[in-house]
Amino acid sequence: MPSSPAPTWGLVCMTVGPELRFRTVTRTRYQQLDPGAREAALRDIYAHNIARTGSAAAFCAARGIGMYRLSSALFPMLDLDGDDTGAAVLDSLSEELRAAGQGFLDAGIRVLMHPDQFIVLNSDSPDVRERSVKAMTAHARVMDGLGLERSPWNFLLLHGGKGGRSAELQAVIPDLPDGVRTRLALENDERAYSPAELLPVCQATGVPLVFDAHHHVVHDRLPDFEHPSVRSWVLAARETWTPPAWQVVHLSTGIDGPQDRRHSHLITAVPSAYADVPWIEVEAKGKEEAIAALLGRA
């Protein structure tokens, strides 16, 4: 394979060091508060987390990190049923939120979010589907508030959801709110959805596929990253990105070898199939330490 420019590395959420730490509140604790105290608590947490988000662009730019994954828990209680306190507080901090987003825009840093596993767009439960769309809409609202464009440049990433329901997933995507649909990307996982199962959904809906080689190796019980199928899926996934130069893949390694689902502290192997991938999000426990080690190899 011919040599290619070095990839742009992506940092996941909080750092190992203290620089990018975010605050939260549990639902139980929040619901114990009276309405006035709830608003004050959320305002304090939201303001703190917006300030930390504003620091993330400078943190990444100083370390040669060109992509950043925002915490999906940045604004707790934002999508709470029957309680609009979070939405009202976030609205009151709209100028601060937009200023934080401008830092990423000025530095040319891509931003994404990876909502949690409880969001299942293709669940067989109507209630779960409804709550999933509501949660995704809240995430899109945050990205809009940051001033991030509605495109896969700033994407919202999900796994396939409930296994064996790819047709249902394909059917729901076109009806998602615009702020969600235009940013949506899908990722293969180690259990429910292989890239072979997700690719037709992506092709039919125009949603890009984020290929994860570690998940693929675990799912298909392959010996390592150098199996020929890894390169085949890198190329197939690239065709779902418009433009292809926006392709993102995930990189992680198992603690005790290729079949270990647990992520190691640093990256111990980089697939040769990733040699020409332009954007690589590093999912290692060592966060910025892992990226620094990778930059040191270049």
Side-chain angles (χ1 to χ4, degrees):
M1 188 181 300
S3 61
S4 302
T8 300
W9 303 104
L11 174 66
V12 176
C13 306
M14 295 184 296
T15 54
V16 171
E19 291 89 349
L20 299 181
R21 292 289 172 179
F22 300 92
R23 293 171 53 191
T24 191
V25 62
T26 65
R27 179 172 298 191
T28 298
R29 171 58 183 153
Y30 174 78
Q31 292 179 333
Q32 289 173 344
L33 302 174
D34 63 50
R38 290 181 181 183
E39 180 179 354
L42 291 187
R43 182 175 299 278
D44 185 46
I45 292 169
Y46 286 16
H48 176 274
N49 289 352
I50 289 172
R52 279 289 186 268
T53 299
S55 300
F59 179 93
C60 291
R63 292 160 177 78
I65 299 168
M67 181 166 58
Y68 181 68
R69 182 196 294 183
L70 286 170
S71 169
S72 61
L74 199 62
F75 301 115
M77 311 303 144
L78 184 59
D79 62 344
L80 197 61
D81 286 336
D83 184 345
D84 296 329
T85 305
V89 170
L90 193 61
D91 282 346
S92 73
L93 296 170
S94 60
E95 291 186 10
E96 292 86 345
L97 185 61
R98 180 58 64 99
Q102 191 63 45
F104 293 107
L105 297 175
D106 291 344
I109 294 172
R110 289 179 79 170
V111 178
L112 65 135
M113 299 183 82
H114 194 350
D116 64 38
Q117 62 186 347
F118 301 109
I119 294 178
V120 184
L121 295 175
N122 59 348
S123 171
D124 50 16
S125 165
D127 181 60
V128 172
R129 294 197 301 270
E130 181 179 350
R131 285 188 281 110
S132 296
V133 172
K134 183 176 182 180
M136 288 295 288
T137 303
H139 283 82
R141 176 180 184 166
V142 171
M143 299 189 87
D144 285 343
L146 287 163
L148 305 175
E149 67 178 72
R150 291 184 171 188
S151 82
W153 178 259
N154 302 120
F155 59 94
L156 289 166
L157 182 62
L158 289 180
H159 292 295
K162 187 173 178 62
R165 291 176 63 84
S166 59
E168 288 79 3
L169 178 62
Q170 180 175 319
V172 75
I173 289 173
D175 294 328
L176 291 172
D178 188 65
V180 177
R181 181 185 53 77
T182 55
R183 294 186 177 106
L184 187 64
L186 296 175
E187 176 193 0
N188 61 295
D189 64 76
E190 65 267 58
R191 289 181 175 175
Y193 282 95
S194 68
E197 293 166 298
L198 281 183
L199 183 63
V201 177
C202 293
Q203 291 170 329
T205 59
V207 169
L209 174 62
V210 173
F211 175 64
D212 188 310
H214 188 191
H215 289 167
H216 172 59
V217 166
V218 173
H219 183 280
D220 284 17
R221 295 182 172 83
L222 303 178
D224 54 44
F225 287 149
E226 297 309 309
H227 190 275
S229 64
V230 175
R231 180 60 180 171
S232 296
W233 283 117
V234 166
L235 296 176
R238 183 171 299 163
E239 293 301 312
T240 67
W241 286 88
T242 303
W246 286 7
Q247 182 186 24
V248 177
V249 299
H250 279 180
L251 175 61
S252 62
T253 49
I255 295 175
D256 291 328
Q259 288 300 317
D260 190 345
R261 296 172 59 242
R262 299 170 299 164
H263 292 174
S264 57
H265 189 78
L266 301 179
I267 297 298
T268 58
V270 179
S272 61
Y274 280 9
D276 61 350
V277 174
W279 299 85
I280 301 178
E281 186 179 11
V282 179
E283 293 190 316
K285 295 293 185 184
K287 309 288 185 175
E288 76 276 19
E289 294 177 3
I291 293 178
L294 289 166
L295 287 168
R297 294 185 193 178

